[in-house]
Amino acid sequence: MEESIGPNPLLLLAGRANRPLAGEIADNLGTSADGVTIYNFADGEIFVRIDRNARGRDVFIVQPTVANADNIMELLLLVDAARRASAARVTAVVPYFGYGRQDRKDQPRVSIGAKLVANLITAAGADRVVSIDFHQHQIQGFFDIPVDHLYAAPVFTSYFKQKRLPDLVVVAPDVGSAKMARGFAKRLSASFAIIDKRRPTANVSEVLNVVGDVDGRTCLITDDMIDTGGTIAQAVTALKERGARRVYVGATHALLSGEAVSRLSASPLSELVVTNTIHIPHEKRFDRLTVLSVADLLSRAITYIHTHSSVSQLFELTNQYGPPKVVAG
């Protein structure tokens, strides 16, 4: 027998890409994310079925689109299933937006993957998207539906304020990260430096110079993601060679591809702090890795959207966040 529901109640669903985060969000909202059946057929095709009544409901689907591409397909199928189940509204909660680095045509005959994924999510039937720390802000404009672009900065600043790091300087690992790093420096009352580097090929970088005073200081490198760890490992080494006392790293999305764990473990960093936008399996965790939860941030966003409140409150409440929840570390 179908469950009896009131007018337009919230329905939280989750794909398989990050079930632990979805479970935390569900706990915060006082609900459950266990309302779907998902499995693969023998040939690899994905089967999705929503097991709860979605008719007339405000549906939120939690699914980061981290590689492989099956996670994108799973999100699209979940959105399509909710739309065909007569949901009143479907919001895709995508903590990590995959293909975000393919945001422009910077060489001949290449695709703009970020725009393509945005088109696919819209075509599947999503009415709204919630995400955290896009690789570039302009990705919001790739969607023809409303986008709530959240920042993990309040989670990081709350954590590092508790540590009371002395003589702190926030370091941007490249020019593209300078705006983010300046924001951290302002919130943490720290000074600012930037690393001048060049990238001869994809996933390969070379540090040319450090602009700013880091000698004898505590450094905090901030970035939106860590992929293979090469850039960060080189940046940490360069700062230590220039006299930095201790080097911390804060990055929102921990892809940790390839040899990232061994590179970062071998580097002289004091601590790597990331969030759980992407599920980090135990084999990719190491002693100096700390994982902070963004469940509270996403739970608030979902509540505000569901109640038609202003999501901009999340930016105004920066100083009202309590101590961040440490998932691992």
Side-chain angles (χ1 to χ4, degrees):
M1 181 177 178
E2 287 284 347
E3 59 185 320
S4 177
I5 58 176
N8 197 30
L10 186 151
L11 176 59
L12 183 69
L13 305 174
R16 295 176 293 181
N18 199 338
R19 285 261 171 86
L21 174 59
E24 284 187 58
I25 295 170
D27 290 342
N28 290 346
L29 296 174
T31 185
S32 170
D34 300 327
V36 295
T37 296
I38 306 173
Y39 58 82
N40 291 77
F41 291 112
D43 64 352
E45 281 190 11
I46 302 168
F47 172 83
V48 165
R49 182 183 66 233
I50 298 175
D51 298 325
R52 298 168 66 185
N53 184 8
R55 185 177 296 275
R57 301 184 72 168
D58 198 5
V59 178
F60 292 83
I61 300 169
V62 181
Q63 174 80 341
T65 53
V66 64
N68 58 42
D70 278 1
N71 288 320
I72 295 176
M73 192 65 195
E74 196 168 292
L75 173 62
L76 300 177
L77 291 170
L78 283 165
V79 171
D80 183 67
R83 177 59 62 207
R84 294 178 186 278
S86 301
R89 180 175 61 175
V90 181
T91 300
V93 181
V94 188
Y96 168 72
F97 181 74
Y99 287 82
R101 285 173 286 183
Q102 298 184 38
D103 61 344
R104 63 196 180 280
K105 189 175 179 182
D106 56 355
Q107 52 185 296
R109 298 174 296 281
V110 297
S111 68
I112 303 179
K115 173 60 176 170
L116 175 60
V117 174
N119 286 346
L120 290 170
I121 293 172
T122 304
D127 297 294
R128 193 177 200 97
V129 169
V130 178
S131 192
I132 299 177
D133 284 345
F134 282 141
H135 188 61
Q136 296 292 343
H137 286 72
Q138 66 263 25
I139 290 174
Q140 297 173 72
F142 291 179
F143 290 89
D144 294 324
I145 55 177
V147 175
D148 292 300
H149 182 214
L150 309 179
Y151 303 99
V155 179
F156 284 113
T157 53
S158 178
Y159 178 79
F160 283 109
K161 278 181 179 179
Q162 290 181 93
K163 297 184 79 70
R164 301 182 183 277
L165 300 174
D167 299 320
L168 183 63
V169 53
V170 177
V171 182
D174 51 41
V175 175
S177 303
K179 185 175 180 180
M180 174 187 284
R182 285 186 186 278
F184 273 91
K186 182 178 180 180
R187 292 184 179 94
L188 294 171
S189 301
S191 56
F192 172 77
I194 187 170
I195 292 176
D196 176 28
K197 71 175 186 183
R198 71 185 184 98
R199 191 181 291 278
T201 59
N203 295 122
V204 176
S205 65
E206 297 176 3
V207 174
L208 301 179
N209 196 17
V210 177
V211 182
D213 181 18
V214 299
D215 188 20
R217 311 287 294 276
T218 301
C219 294
L220 169 60
I221 303 172
T222 60
D223 210 347
D224 66 308
M225 70 172 67
I226 293 183
D227 189 0
T228 62
T231 295
I232 293 298
Q234 280 199 356
V236 171
T237 301
L239 292 173
K240 292 291 287 186
E241 288 174 349
R242 287 160 176 78
R245 187 187 309 164
R246 304 187 76 186
V247 182
Y248 293 81
V249 177
T252 306
H253 309 297
L255 296 167
L256 301 180
S257 308
E259 302 299 318
V261 172
S262 59
R263 283 195 188 103
L264 294 167
S265 298
S267 75
L269 64 82
S270 297
E271 184 181 14
L272 170 61
V273 184
V274 300
T275 75
N276 61 344
T277 55
I278 297 170
H279 177 62
I280 305 172
H282 288 288
E283 61 268 21
K284 288 190 175 183
R285 298 182 182 181
F286 54 98
D287 290 343
R288 286 166 288 159
L289 175 68
T290 298
V291 184
L292 305 179
S293 177
V294 292
D296 181 56
L297 178 66
L298 290 170
S299 301
R300 292 186 190 212
I302 289 170
T303 299
Y304 293 152
I305 293 167
H306 179 60
T307 59
H308 303 284
S309 302
S310 173
V311 178
S312 63
Q313 294 178 71
L314 291 172
F315 310 117
E316 296 165 5
L317 292 173
T318 300
N319 296 321
Q320 298 183 31
Y321 277 78
K325 178 181 178 182
V326 177
V327 180

